Amino acid sequence: MTLSFSDLALDPAILKALDKMGYKEPSPIQAEAIPLVLQGHDLIALAQTGSGKTAACAIPVCNRVDIERPLVQALIVVPTRELALQYATEVQKIGVEKGVKAFAIYGGEDASMQQSKLKHGVHVLVATPGRLIDFIYSRQIDLSHVETLILDEADEMLSMGFYEDLEFIIQCLVHDHQTLLFSATMPKDILKIAKNHMKEPREVSLTSAQASPQTIEHRFVYCHFKDKEASLVKMMKELQPKQAIIFCHSRGEVEKVCRSLQKQIEGVDFLHAGLSQDIRSIITGKFRSGRTRFLVATDVASRGLDFSGVTHVFIYHLADDPDLYVHRSGRTGRQDREGIVITFVTDRELRSLSKVLEKIKKEPIWIGEKPKLQAPTRRRYIPRRSK
């Protein structure tokens, strides 16, 4: 029997909002996590990107909020500004019929304006670690009524060096509270946080042996470094994506590739952390609404952000970290939709490719020329002559 949201004992106002949003039935992570959160358990939830983790957290949080208390009752900590905005928007939509007020604080925005909003009453606060700690130090925020702490994209925050910041934030919540930890992978520091700060956490793991969803096709293009831009343009014109993200490894490479594409293709923009928050918000808004067709980006766009219209991902520069490949590719194929990932591989990147293929457990499917994979040659040992 198919489970529906009405089977989860949710507030009628939450059910009404979910119906308006087009949420018909819970995803596997939502079906398993929501009852545990509503029962008050601490939770470690592992699931693939695009599986509905945001709503799995936001739905029970909104359900538990007491709107008569204009205090921060749930604190959600996320790694990036874009994800903070997206999370706050999702919480606001889910809680709108009930009257839940959500707000996001993050760096790059006027802190005094954010403080003013907090004074008007916020039930669910979404924050990046740095700005939240600024507010804690300056005593501009009251966390004494927080009943639920959520660490989302926890593995990403730890990889960005936020372990000590997260420890500090958790230690500021000296009263009894529920802790929820959502992640795509389980590095040792997550286990350390769980051991130190969680009370007999329940675990929900929906990360299958297949690291990448089956709905995503993985294709590879072998080319020389000097031919990468031409190969990218050729593939984009041939495939005619409805919407695509092109991942590069640095801000400089992003801008260089973007300038090249803009001369040959319409609807191209770029995104990286060097842009002001206002500009970043405008760019992500245009891309999410479909007004921008192609987005050249650093990995600021690889984690958490839900661009549901993305049909293709082009990986211009293959990173050595296979987990990063999984997160980049996860920007397409959201919610069981089909998606295609095209990766450009040079001789220098063949070693990184082998790690990726081992991670996603797939044989490479090449478009055009295949690389000549040769076993490494050993240098013959020649003994040195004594002087």
Side-chain angles (χ1 to χ4, degrees), residues 85 135 138 163 167 198 206 301 340 369:
L85 279 169
F135 272 47
S138 59
Y163 178 81
E167 279 281 327
M198 301 179 80
L206 297 177
I340 298 175
E369 180 185 1

Side-chain angles (χ1 to χ4, degrees), residues 128-183:
T128 54
R131 179 50 58 96
L132 177 60
I133 289 174
D134 288 344
F135 272 47
I136 292 172
Y137 273 132
S138 59
R139 301 182 184 276
Q140 293 178 309
I141 193 168
D142 180 9
L143 300 179
S144 62
H145 302 278
V146 169
E147 298 174 352
T148 306
L149 170 67
I150 302 98
L151 306 180
D152 193 43
E153 298 286 352
D155 51 351
E156 174 69 0
M157 286 193 284
L158 294 173
S159 72
M160 294 169 68
F162 285 131
Y163 178 81
E164 291 184 359
D165 290 344
L166 295 180
E167 279 281 327
F168 174 78
I169 291 166
I170 295 171
Q171 289 169 12
C172 287
L173 303 179
V174 294
H175 58 284
D176 190 44
H177 63 276
Q178 179 185 34
T179 302
L180 313 177
L181 194 154
F182 288 81
S183 184

Side-chain angles (χ1 to χ4, degrees), residues 81-304:
R81 309 171 198 173
E82 283 76 18
L83 187 53
L85 279 169
Q86 178 180 289
Y87 222 119
T89 300
E90 183 81 356
V91 172
Q92 193 69 55
K93 288 179 180 178
I94 291 171
V96 64
E97 298 293 334
K98 184 176 177 179
V100 176
K101 294 181 180 179
F103 185 60
I105 61 172
Y106 45 84
E109 288 286 315
D110 188 332
S112 62
M113 292 182 64
Q114 293 177 346
Q115 171 63 19
S116 177
K117 176 68 176 180
L118 287 174
K119 288 181 178 178
H120 284 83
V122 171
H123 300 115
V124 180
L125 180 66
V126 189
T128 54
R131 179 50 58 96
L132 177 60
I133 289 174
D134 288 344
F135 272 47
I136 292 172
Y137 273 132
S138 59
R139 301 182 184 276
Q140 293 178 309
I141 193 168
D142 180 9
L143 300 179
S144 62
H145 302 278
V146 169
E147 298 174 352
T148 306
L149 170 67
I150 302 98
L151 306 180
D152 193 43
E153 298 286 352
D155 51 351
E156 174 69 0
M157 286 193 284
L158 294 173
S159 72
M160 294 169 68
F162 285 131
Y163 178 81
E164 291 184 359
D165 290 344
L166 295 180
E167 279 281 327
F168 174 78
I169 291 166
I170 295 171
Q171 289 169 12
C172 287
L173 303 179
V174 294
H175 58 284
D176 190 44
H177 63 276
Q178 179 185 34
T179 302
L180 313 177
L181 194 154
F182 288 81
S183 184
T185 59
M186 180 68 88
K188 62 180 181 180
D189 280 342
I190 286 184
L191 294 173
K192 190 175 178 181
I193 287 176
K195 181 179 180 181
N196 291 342
H197 303 289
M198 301 179 80
K199 304 181 294 292
E200 300 180 356
R202 300 293 183 91
E203 292 188 23
V204 173
S205 181
L206 297 177
T207 52
S208 63
Q210 190 73 29
S212 179
Q214 296 289 346
T215 54
I216 298 177
E217 293 183 23
H218 300 265
R219 301 289 182 266
F220 302 89
V221 177
Y222 175 62
C223 59
H224 296 288
F225 179 78
K226 62 182 178 61
D227 299 325
K228 261 193 181 183
E229 286 187 13
S231 298
L232 173 61
V233 172
K234 180 175 180 290
M235 292 307 305
M236 291 173 70
K237 288 183 175 179
E238 286 183 2
L239 295 174
Q240 288 294 308
K242 179 181 177 182
Q243 198 171 41
I245 300 177
I246 301 96
F247 282 108
C248 299
H249 83 293
S250 67
R251 301 176 188 181
E253 188 174 72
V254 162
E255 295 187 19
K256 179 177 178 291
V257 171
C258 183
R259 286 193 298 268
S260 177
L261 291 179
Q262 286 174 335
K263 295 175 182 176
Q264 305 171 73
I265 297 175
E266 293 185 358
V268 181
D269 209 337
F270 70 91
L271 178 70
H272 60 58
L275 301 171
S276 70
Q277 186 56 48
D278 285 345
I279 297 299
R280 286 165 66 172
S281 297
I282 291 170
I283 291 169
T284 54
K286 288 174 65 178
F287 189 66
R288 187 172 280 114
S289 67
R291 287 176 289 164
T292 297
R293 187 177 170 195
F294 302 112
L295 186 65
V296 188
T298 56
D299 291 300
V300 72
S302 72
R303 292 297 296 256

Side-chain angles (χ1 to χ4, degrees), residues 313-326:
V313 164
F314 295 92
I315 299 180
Y316 187 81
H317 188 108
L318 184 61
D320 197 48
D321 180 1
D323 285 332
L324 188 52
Y325 176 90
V326 173

